[in-house]
Amino acid sequence: MSTANLTRTETRRRSRHVGGVSYRVHLDLLHAEDMDVDTFETVTTIEFDATTAATWVDFIGADVSEVIVNGTDSPVDYDGARIQLVGLTEHNIVRISARGHYSRSGEGLHRFVDPVDDNVYLYTQYEPADARRVFANFEQPDLKAPFTLTVTAPSAWTVLSNREGVSNDTVTTFAPTQPISTYITAVAAGPYHRVESSWARGELTVPLGAYCRASLGEFFDAENIFEVTKQGLDFFHDKFDYPYPFGKYDQIFVPEYNLGAMENPGLVTFTESYVFRSAATEAQYEARANTILHEMAHMWFGNLVTMQWWDDLWLKESFADFMGAYASAAATRFTDAWVSFANRRKAWAYLQDQLPTTHPIVADITDLEAAKLNFDGITYAKGASVLKQLGAFVGADAFFAASRNYFRAHAFGNTTLTDLLSEMATASGRELDTWAAAWLQTTGVSTLSYTGDAVEQTDPRPHRIAVGLYDLDEAGNLTRTHRHELDITDARTPVDFPDAALVLLNDDDLTYAKIRFDERSTSTVRSHLDRIVDPLARGLVWSALWNSTRDAEMSPLEYIDIATRFAPHEPKIGLLSAVTANVAYTLEHYLPEDRRNEPTRQWLEASWTQLRSSEPGSDTQLVWARAVASAARLDDVRAEDLRALLDGTLTIDGLRLDPDQRWAFWLALASTGHASVTELDAELTGDGTSSGRTAHIAASTAIPDAGVKADAWGAITNREDVSNDVLDAFITGFGAGHHPNLTQPYATEYFESIAPLWSARSIEIARRIVVRLFPQQSSTGAADTWLTEHEWAPAALRRLVIEQRDHLARSLRVQARLG
């Protein structure tokens, strides 16, 4: 195993011998605008106490030129990941001079050149352990420390970090941070567009900043961002009763970002896809608000109080995911946030929890590679679902009282599960060990079904559920006539409910479980789904239908039929977007080769009809335009209409053909062989932005030609000079459309190359290749053979292959449902 893959055992040993840490870090970024210079100088001075004569410091970079230990030059003992320190005393000052690499993978210090104006932008992304790509440090979350940072950069640039900075020509010096973990330190530098505001509560005033690239400034709706930010600060101060402790609150939207966002205190980073240069739906604005509030919750859960090791990653991510939805519903205009949570976030959890690699919410994370892969649907969405249950179990007052006590008791420290449960138990007066054992330390998802005289569950667990009974009213709407709450723990719980047209288990989404319908309820859903008035209830029904399809209990053709009949009447844009995305997935994965064409064309025609009949300029019209573009990658019946829309000879009232929509249509045309390189090049001349360039790569690579696919495969597997977003564009184009005759020949090469790629590329880049290029074959044989022959492969790589193999096996089971 590479020494870069830190283990839990060795970091625990190091933390027993090292303490009292503080850092002074200097980064020289003065030559960052010179693309011929691919490294930067980094100097770290670490003061710390030690009870051992030797330890190591983590650093992944170009070279280490000097190590000074307590004023004495020390031989440089550096293996590419660790710098060995010897001659330590009780109190030490170590100075390390090195050179780091500018990143193109989004890990460490990422450098981006804006093709619009040639401006250079830098930002950092560290979680879980990439601060060591920028400065030498003890890369583990329990060795928290104050950081004092200075940065040398071009004088015209804006330079940002966790704290306020003072600039003197090319040098910016930042105030020391509070004690924080290495992974949430941050730097951003470049000619960023800036908007300012502030928030105040009593004597506390928090300066607010919002940043994006200069070329995106015209699209930057900073006031909307500030509105949600202020609502969030109001909410969390009321609920947590612990003042925001990190000074300023900057939010920066950056290019080629691997995540949705990162909670660096004082400098929260977001993907710039949240800067909407093209039309965006209300669901997209809701998702952005949720992300803003998710990251804000981390200021307390994660930054103020941090998990000791990545085993307890849920202590921050589950809470932030839960609080993002909670605060959205309680404090912003997105009062239906729990509908989106139930339908989208929990779908992610249900998917992850049915994989053979699923894990408890409190996971066994032995090393950093395992930690990297555990930022998943279990840690986020299942954890948040279980916390929602906990809040209902102990009561909201006790839940927040425990949170307040937890912050006060462990401020700027590190915790484990026991610390949180102790506070929850004390505040609520309830014993929580049994609850934790059932929900935090087990795997799997129960399936609840109603049999007429009982509620049955697979994989029995204790649940507090609501059961809603729905009947048609005089207006023909399905409304709830009765609501029953009950506790179930066994495989079968007898019940006595009045007759109802629809019996909805887990109404109000109180627990974490899939649901199935009884025969009468199934009939009601098939005929009256659109008559369910309550959006949360309707969302739970849509979720149940999708889970039944994924579990091969409902025919994929029936799901498509229900979506075709009822999606046009779905008023909740987030639900409509989810349904159309599920149909797209069904068409590509859940239909066998000989049953694919007719349903695809029928869905495309239905989507086209809705595009033309939707209210002009509405979110609904935009969702259907995206559905048309997606389906048109698989069928060319509307190719001439798409071309006419693009050249202006056909117009649809209200449809904005902004750059993103135009590229979506071009990708569809290219995928079916109806676009040429010349035409795509011409489109690029009108949209030379970074988004335009990656869209052009995807469309050009989508052309169904053997030579094009060969070039794309070579770029993906051989070129290390492409950025993360460009790599994604090549992969998107390579797999676009349905051309197994062109892509299947690469299946053998895929399995031959993934192990070497895993060792040669960063984990982020390797993960994208392994997951997104996995061959969609007619059996799991090739994957099974690879797993048998590669028992020696890194556990993280094997996990990804096992998961993709399981997705393929599920697809084949659903296909077999059609006979």
Side-chain angles (χ1 to χ4, degrees), residues 204-260:
L204 176 65
T205 297
V206 178
L208 307 178
Y211 298 82
C212 69
R213 286 187 287 130
S215 63
L216 289 177
E218 63 180 298
F219 308 109
F220 196 38
D221 58 330
E223 288 309 310
N224 190 311
I225 292 165
F226 285 142
E227 178 184 18
V228 174
T229 303
K230 293 173 185 178
Q231 289 168 333
L233 287 168
D234 282 335
F235 175 84
F236 289 122
H237 276 79
D238 288 340
K239 294 296 184 182
F240 293 161
D241 192 30
Y242 192 107
Y244 172 71
F246 297 109
K248 67 184 177 71
Y249 199 92
D250 287 340
Q251 298 172 98
I252 186 166
F253 296 77
V254 297
E256 298 186 326
Y257 200 53
N258 290 330
L259 311 174

Side-chain angles (χ1 to χ4, degrees), residues 552 556 590-592 595 809-819:
Y590 289 166
L591 299 181
R595 304 288 295 275
R810 180 179 292 271
S811 295
L812 296 175
R813 288 196 300 273
V814 177
Q815 292 178 22
R817 178 74 168 72
L818 297 176

Side-chain angles (χ1 to χ4, degrees), residues 390-607:
L390 178 61
F393 182 58
V394 303
D397 290 344
F399 184 90
F400 284 108
S403 299
R404 291 190 286 270
N405 293 336
Y406 178 72
F407 300 142
R408 294 189 186 100
H410 302 287
F412 302 108
N414 297 87
T415 59
T416 64
L417 166 66
T418 303
D419 299 307
L420 179 70
L421 288 185
S422 175
E423 297 294 350
M424 288 288 175
T426 299
S428 65
R430 289 179 176 268
E431 185 275 319
L432 294 177
D433 290 341
T434 303
W435 174 88
W439 285 105
L440 300 180
Q441 297 165 342
T442 61
T443 63
V445 53
S446 304
T447 300
L448 310 181
S449 57
Y450 175 59
T451 63
D453 62 354
V455 175
E456 296 182 351
Q457 64 164 321
T458 63
D459 197 15
R461 286 184 179 82
H463 299 268
R464 178 72 176 175
I465 67 168
V467 180
L469 306 183
Y470 290 75
D471 279 299
L472 291 168
D473 63 16
E474 293 181 356
N477 294 322
L478 273 171
T479 57
R480 188 165 68 189
T481 57
H482 298 85
R483 181 182 186 275
H484 301 268
E485 279 200 24
L486 65 152
D487 294 310
I488 61 173
T489 57
D490 300 325
R492 187 177 191 275
T493 302
V495 295
D496 183 16
F497 299 144
D499 288 340
L502 169 63
V503 177
L504 183 58
L505 302 179
N506 196 29
D507 204 2
D508 298 326
D509 195 38
L510 299 184
T511 195
Y512 173 79
K514 297 185 295 181
I515 62 172
R516 298 285 192 259
F517 298 117
D518 63 282
E519 186 174 343
R520 185 182 179 190
S521 297
T522 298
S523 178
T524 299
V525 166
R526 286 171 174 160
S527 58
H528 293 90
L529 193 160
D530 60 329
R531 308 307 295 176
I532 302 173
V533 176
D534 180 68
L536 179 55
R538 205 168 56 251
L540 292 171
V541 170
W542 278 118
S543 177
L545 293 172
W546 179 237
N547 284 323
S548 293
T549 304
R550 292 190 70 252
D551 293 344
E553 294 192 11
M554 173 182 281
S555 161
L557 293 179
E558 183 173 4
Y559 183 85
I560 295 171
D561 175 67
I562 291 174
T564 301
R565 289 188 292 116
F566 293 118
H569 307 288
E570 177 52 64
K572 176 72 176 172
I573 292 301
L575 293 180
L576 176 60
S577 299
V579 172
T580 57
N582 290 342
V583 172
Y585 190 90
T586 300
L587 294 174
E588 291 201 52
H589 296 275
Y590 289 166
L591 299 181
E593 193 69 33
D594 61 348
R595 304 288 295 275
R596 186 188 303 262
N597 292 343
E598 184 179 353
T600 300
R601 179 156 296 185
Q602 289 174 347
W603 175 252
L604 174 55
E605 292 290 66
S607 300

Side-chain angles (χ1 to χ4, degrees), residues 160-184:
L160 303 167
S161 187
N162 303 88
R163 293 299 306 274
E164 300 83 357
V166 176
S167 295
N168 181 8
D169 193 20
T170 61
V171 179
T172 302
T173 302
F174 294 93
T177 69
Q178 297 276 19
I180 58 176
S181 301
T182 53
Y183 76 90
I184 51 175

Side-chain angles (χ1 to χ4, degrees), residues 93-130:
I93 300 176
V94 174
R95 186 178 187 273
I96 298 170
S97 300
R99 300 189 69 84
H101 286 291
Y102 290 111
S103 169
R104 299 295 288 135
S105 68
E107 301 155 295
L109 181 60
H110 190 80
R111 178 166 64 175
F112 173 83
V113 181
D114 191 336
V116 173
D117 52 22
D118 291 328
N119 281 333
V120 174
Y121 294 90
L122 306 176
Y123 67 86
T124 58
Q125 171 56 38
Y126 295 154
E127 191 175 37
D130 286 321

Side-chain angles (χ1 to χ4, degrees), residues 1-8 10-11 14 56 58 82 129 132 138-140 309 366-369:
M1 181 178 65
S2 166
T3 60
N5 188 21
L6 294 170
T7 70
R8 177 178 57 202
E10 61 188 348
T11 56
R14 181 165 63 178
W56 81 94
D58 304 295
R82 304 186 185 195
R132 56 188 171 155
F138 298 121
E139 190 79 282
Q140 55 193 87
W309 176 250
T366 58
D367 57 40
L368 286 180
E369 284 194 359

